[in-house]
Amino acid sequence: MAKLSLRAVQKLTCKKRDAWWTVVLVDPVATRMLIVMARFRFITPNRVTWAALFVGLGSAALFLKGDTQSLIIGAALYHLSFIFDCIDGKLARLKGNGTVFGGWLDYVFDRIRVLFCALALMGGQYLRNGDERYLLAALLVVFLDMLRYVDALQIYKMRMSMRTKIEKVTREKKEAELAAAEAARGASGEPAAPQIQFMEDLLRENPEAEAETLKEQAEAAHVVDLHAQFRHRFPWYQRFRQALLRSRIRPHLISGIEFQMFIFIVGPLIGRILMTTLVSAVLLGIFELVIMYKFWLSTRDFTTVMEELSTAPTQAGTIAPHLHRGRHRRGVQDEFLVDQRLVDPRPDEDPYFQPYPEPYTSYEPDAWEPHAQTYTQQPVEGYVLPVHGGSHAAGPYHPLPQEQGYPGERESVG
């Protein structure tokens, strides 16, 4: 096998934006180890992930001993474990053999490693010193690590949902405008897909450019900016972000990676575990609050964009008319429920919406009318008859199989 180029491997496998700890202390070592490991076919990304877990568990065993020498060796092993954790993804990008299962395995093993190392590090110090503050520190580390990654996944999910809804509404509005134009001209044709771009994608591809410049140069007819309010309130952030991105460092300076490295590497090396844990927890909490604040401003931008795209007046903040007194009479409520805005959302309106299965599949409105002489369906004990237009009616009852259950929401981690 020919010798790989270090610069080419770095360009192919290193992320465009990454944590400063990874950029400064991990990538220079990981890419050189990757060049050697890529020569062996038996070394796969999943096996490297397993190696990272075992090395991390070895670090936890040394942390449990609690003496100075064990803490130093344990910190070195934890850093090596994190290097392996970065190599598995780089190896997958280099050889193109990454899998969805491998991404899930990497995520789960990261959480297992943090859990065992936190319990071992703080538990070892508690056994040596009898200081109960170490037990509280262990709970704090596990809780913040869980909160950080759960919050990141949920925010990512909500951002993708907002983008999907904007694209859907924009497409429907464009199709309606084209249909009206074609009807006016008396011609028909296939409506063209609307061109829409998001400012965050443009800035990711051109990190040195200004937002206004990219908006003017964009080829799409509509550019959506879901960070307009944040950028307006903090104009210096763009320059700060550009300065960091020149070195591939992302603006989120204290993320889950730095939080782990300070606790499991810096703390044991300097012998100040409690102090390092407290400082790291405070810094992580501050940056998480900033991310939540930025996401809140993004949701306000999303609401503004949706109001601009919507042709109907918004009903937000008002009480539905059929809930007022006197609106419960027969016929009034049925007429109101015809309104399409009250129809249950379809699956394509929300990519994460999954309706519950219906308890019956057919409906015979006359089967249980008072004037009916014969009944084609027998009432089932415990089955509540649905109410329709003030009269009771029931259809054939089809119980769900026990093993079917209710569909739940499933998240995947890439």
Side-chain angles (χ1 to χ4, degrees):
M1 181 177 180
K3 185 177 180 180
L4 298 174
S5 169
L6 176 61
R7 179 168 297 185
V9 170
Q10 290 176 340
K11 185 176 181 180
L12 179 63
T13 61
C14 294
K15 298 179 181 178
K16 294 182 179 181
R17 297 187 305 169
D18 213 335
W20 64 266
W21 185 282
T22 303
V23 173
V24 177
L25 300 175
V26 176
D27 280 348
V29 180
T31 50
R32 288 169 172 80
M33 293 178 61
L34 176 64
I35 291 177
V36 178
M37 298 171 66
R39 296 175 177 271
F40 302 96
R41 300 184 61 181
F42 69 91
I43 299 180
T44 62
N46 286 352
R47 291 177 179 176
V48 176
T49 304
W50 279 98
L53 175 65
F54 290 140
V55 175
L57 295 180
S59 174
L62 291 171
F63 285 154
L64 189 60
K65 292 184 177 181
D67 58 277
T68 303
Q69 182 179 1
S70 298
L71 290 178
I72 294 176
I73 300 176
L77 284 181
Y78 192 89
H79 186 62
L80 179 62
S81 173
F82 185 71
I83 291 177
F84 283 150
D85 188 35
C86 293
I87 289 178
D88 58 3
K90 297 180 184 297
L91 184 61
R93 287 189 289 272
L94 181 64
K95 291 189 173 182
N97 57 349
T99 61
V100 175
F101 177 77
W104 172 86
L105 196 71
D106 181 51
Y107 176 82
V108 172
F109 282 2
D110 285 349
R111 308 284 69 76
I112 293 176
R113 180 180 58 192
V114 171
L115 175 63
F116 275 83
C117 287
L119 296 178
L121 178 62
M122 304 305 175
Q125 295 303 305
Y126 170 73
L127 294 177
R128 289 180 62 88
N129 304 325
D131 192 345
E132 296 179 353
R133 292 180 298 175
Y134 286 102
L135 300 180
L136 296 177
L139 294 177
L140 180 65
V141 172
V142 174
F143 171 75
L144 289 179
D145 180 77
M146 176 195 67
L147 177 64
R148 163 73 188 114
Y149 283 92
V150 169
D151 183 54
L153 288 174
Q154 188 67 15
I155 288 180
Y156 174 79
K157 168 185 170 181
M158 293 296 102
R159 289 191 184 279
M160 293 299 103
S161 178
M162 289 190 298
R163 291 172 62 119
T164 302
K165 291 179 180 178
I166 290 176
E167 291 173 349
K168 179 179 182 296
V169 173
T170 304
R171 181 175 62 253
E172 292 178 348
K173 183 178 180 181
K174 185 66 175 180
E175 291 176 353
E177 293 176 353
L178 291 176
E182 294 293 344
R185 293 195 302 265
S188 62
E190 186 70 20
Q195 294 183 354
I196 181 173
Q197 287 183 326
F198 291 89
M199 181 60 68
E200 54 185 325
D201 295 337
L202 298 177
L203 288 174
R204 188 179 296 110
E205 297 173 358
N206 305 277
E208 297 294 333
E210 297 291 338
E212 296 299 329
T213 304
L214 291 176
K215 190 173 183 178
E216 295 175 357
Q217 297 176 352
E219 298 178 356
H222 191 198
V223 177
V224 177
D225 189 359
L226 294 180
H227 299 289
Q229 292 192 38
F230 183 83
R231 195 176 296 110
H232 176 72
R233 297 190 182 190
F234 305 97
W236 53 266
Y237 175 77
Q238 186 67 18
R239 297 189 297 270
F240 174 71
R241 177 177 178 272
Q242 292 174 354
L244 291 178
L245 290 181
R246 295 188 185 100
S247 301
R248 296 196 303 113
I249 298 176
R250 61 188 181 190
H252 190 189
L253 298 179
I254 306 297
S255 64
I257 293 176
E258 289 80 11
F259 178 68
Q260 297 176 29
M261 301 303 115
F262 271 85
I263 293 175
F264 300 126
I265 296 179
V266 177
L269 289 179
I270 66 177
R272 301 284 184 177
I273 296 176
L274 281 179
M275 182 191 70
T276 307
T277 301
L278 180 60
V279 173
S280 302
V282 171
L283 292 177
L284 179 66
I286 292 175
F287 272 85
E288 288 303 306
L289 289 177
V290 172
I291 290 178
M292 294 177 187
Y293 175 72
K294 184 179 179 181
F295 176 66
W296 174 66
L297 292 179
S298 181
T299 58
R300 296 182 62 180
D301 290 326
F302 168 75
T303 302
T304 303
V305 171
M306 293 296 290
E307 290 177 353
E308 294 175 353
L309 294 176
S310 178
T311 56
T314 178
Q315 300 293 331
T318 61
I319 300 177
H322 73 289
L323 297 178
H324 293 277
R325 295 185 62 181
R327 295 302 182 94
H328 62 279
R329 295 188 300 272
R330 180 176 179 177
V332 176
Q333 190 176 30
D334 291 341
E335 180 180 355
F336 181 80
L337 291 177
V338 176
D339 192 345
Q340 292 297 321
R341 290 174 297 178
L342 298 180
V343 177
D344 292 337
R346 295 171 295 178
D348 58 345
E349 293 182 357
D350 190 342
Y352 306 101
F353 171 77
Q354 294 186 4
Y356 289 100
E358 295 293 340
Y360 51 85
T361 57
S362 63
Y363 183 72
E364 298 179 5
D366 298 330
W368 287 89
E369 290 297 329
H371 63 272
Q373 300 297 326
T374 59
Y375 300 98
T376 58
Q377 300 294 335
Q378 295 297 327
V380 180
E381 182 178 359
Y383 177 63
V384 180
L385 300 179
V387 179
H388 181 76
S391 61
H392 297 280
Y397 177 72
H398 298 278
L400 289 173
Q402 186 174 5
E403 64 273 9
Q404 180 176 346
Y406 292 100
E409 185 176 344
R410 181 176 59 189
E411 293 184 358
S412 59
V413 180

